[in-house]
Amino acid sequence: MNLFRPLLRCCALFSLLMVNVFFSVPTASAERIYLDIASSGVRKLVIAIPSFVDGRGDQNTATGRDLARIMEEGLWLHGFVRILDPHRYEGQRQPDWRALGADYVVTGNYMLSGERMSVAGSLLDVMSGDKLAAKSYKGSSSQREDMVLRLVDAMVEEFTGEPGVARSAIAFVSDKTGRKEIYLADVFGRHVRQITRHHHLCVSPRFTADGTRLAYTSYHRGNQDLYLMDLDQNKKTRTLSRRRGMNLAPAFSPDNRTAVVTLSKDGNPDLYLIDMEGNVISRLTKRAGINVSPSFSPDGRAICFVSDRSGRPQVYIMNLQTMQVQRLTFEGKENVEPSWSPQGDKIVYTRLVQGRYHIYTVPVSGGQSTRITSGAGSYESPSWSPDGRLLAFSRELNGKMEIYVAQANGEGIRPLFSLEGNQSYPRWSPRLH
């Protein structure tokens, strides 16, 4: 469910753990191969991930197999690899990787010493025989998953030039308790954490730019109030805005000093710039239709947002220095939920198409839009991954709402994770440190 439809009704009513880097030794002779994984038709790389070897050289331990499985999940998430079936080479001392069709092999090892653990890995180029990288991390044995995911992100960087997103998180809304509350999970659907316990409707989770806090709107006091929760173990929550009427869906500036939020305290739902204590700095729109769903550009100089000032909900861009506004979308009767890409070149949004919602992208400079989703169901609430190469969104199909992911070009649409109840309003976190 996108925000604009309930807003129309409301207008009538109101008029992860840290580990230490041990070493990082890129092989001097190896050249990085930066893949444009956003291009259509790029062949997926075939990667073999044998069981990690322990300090005694044992290639067949339960821990080694578990570490390899985590590596598989992490690399598969990024969408540009195909994992070679381990059953094709298990038990072989020196598999013929080229004959098996592998492009690269992850060679991993680990060492346990009491409660301490080190995990290392390198990436072997099967064709050249070169090792593209060798990295190692150490921490407590309970941090093994995080260490492997650090390896994943480092290896993704070898392929793409930018670290992966395996150590990021997804905030979302779930009705598993019978009420829509805010939850947080890693991108594999593990370590699920319930953020709110208001026992009333909660919507629109939004991360601060540094990922340490999460804003949301709750109706538990009878009004659409805006809250900000500290995501550390203290779970401190404070009110960001509790003004009469709407207090909705903030967009946090890249410098983490300000936010743009929709308020209807003066009658019309308009955009306001506020500080991190909730104080109004300036009013950005004034009675030019309903104005909602702001999203900052990566440089913080502009926002995109939705307004029905032309008669229908469309996406607009506002220059925050000049306050000039330009319309970005012209096709379709309803274009909502825009989000500016981390690279700054595109905006993703939701469009109503023949009674169903689908995800589109459009260049910031304007022009032809590109449809990302296809097939049955309705797709809403798109959110960029921190590297801008993936999109998360909700899909409603056969009465069930789940979170899906696709590459930014629309390829590889698949469920991100499956949990009890319905999940909606996904919001991808920044990289976690």
Side-chain angles (χ1 to χ4, degrees), residues 165-340:
V165 297
R167 296 181 65 251
S168 56
I170 300 287
F172 57 94
V173 174
S174 175
D175 63 0
K176 63 174 291 186
T177 64
R179 300 281 189 175
K180 290 188 175 181
E181 303 269 14
I182 307 297
Y183 290 75
L184 186 67
D186 66 13
V187 288
F188 309 102
R190 299 189 295 262
H191 312 299
V192 180
R193 173 181 167 190
Q194 186 172 344
I195 298 299
T196 64
R197 299 180 187 276
H198 293 307
H199 308 292
H200 283 78
L201 177 63
C202 296
V203 295
S204 305
R206 296 287 189 275
F207 286 97
T208 54
D210 60 5
T212 62
R213 288 166 288 178
L214 187 70
Y216 61 90
T217 294
S218 175
Y219 293 72
H220 73 281
R221 294 174 62 93
N223 191 59
Q224 295 171 310
D225 296 331
L226 188 59
Y227 297 89
L228 187 63
M229 170 174 275
D230 191 332
L231 292 175
D232 68 13
Q233 294 303 311
N234 293 326
K235 300 183 180 180
K236 295 177 181 177
T237 303
R238 64 177 176 85
T239 302
L240 189 59
S241 182
R242 197 183 285 168
R243 297 172 173 89
R244 179 178 57 86
M246 301 175 189
N247 302 271
L248 294 176
F252 292 98
S253 61
D255 63 8
N256 240 29
R257 295 180 178 179
T258 59
V260 175
V261 62
T262 295
L263 304 175
S264 64
K265 65 185 184 67
D266 298 316
N268 193 70
D270 277 307
L271 298 177
Y272 292 78
L273 184 68
I274 63 173
D275 64 23
M276 296 301 284
E277 299 301 318
N279 302 306
V280 172
I281 299 172
S282 62
R283 185 174 182 173
L284 302 182
T285 62
K286 192 170 183 178
R287 295 185 174 87
I290 298 172
N291 302 279
V292 296
S293 301
S295 175
F296 269 95
S297 63
D299 61 11
R301 297 179 180 178
I303 58 170
C304 59
F305 64 99
V306 173
S307 178
D308 68 349
R309 61 188 63 190
S310 65
R312 298 280 188 175
Q314 299 291 343
V315 178
Y316 292 79
I317 290 179
M318 174 186 290
N319 184 306
L320 294 177
Q321 279 74 47
T322 66
M323 303 302 291
Q324 290 183 332
V325 176
Q326 114 184 42
R327 182 172 167 178
L328 188 62
T329 58
F330 292 88
E331 301 175 38
K333 295 181 178 180
E334 185 178 326
N335 294 294
V336 295
E337 303 179 319
S339 181
W340 212 305

Side-chain angles (χ1 to χ4, degrees), residues 102-148:
D103 298 307
Y104 297 91
V105 180
V106 174
T107 56
N109 60 78
Y110 70 96
M111 185 172 294
L112 283 167
S113 178
E115 294 299 316
R116 304 298 294 173
M117 184 176 191
S118 64
V119 176
S122 60
L123 192 63
L124 172 68
D125 184 332
V126 172
M127 186 64 68
S128 68
D130 291 331
K131 287 187 177 181
L132 300 185
K135 292 183 181 292
S136 179
Y137 305 94
K138 64 179 181 179
S140 69
S141 58
S142 64
Q143 295 172 300
R144 65 181 63 186
E145 179 180 302
D146 190 60
M147 288 186 275
V148 175

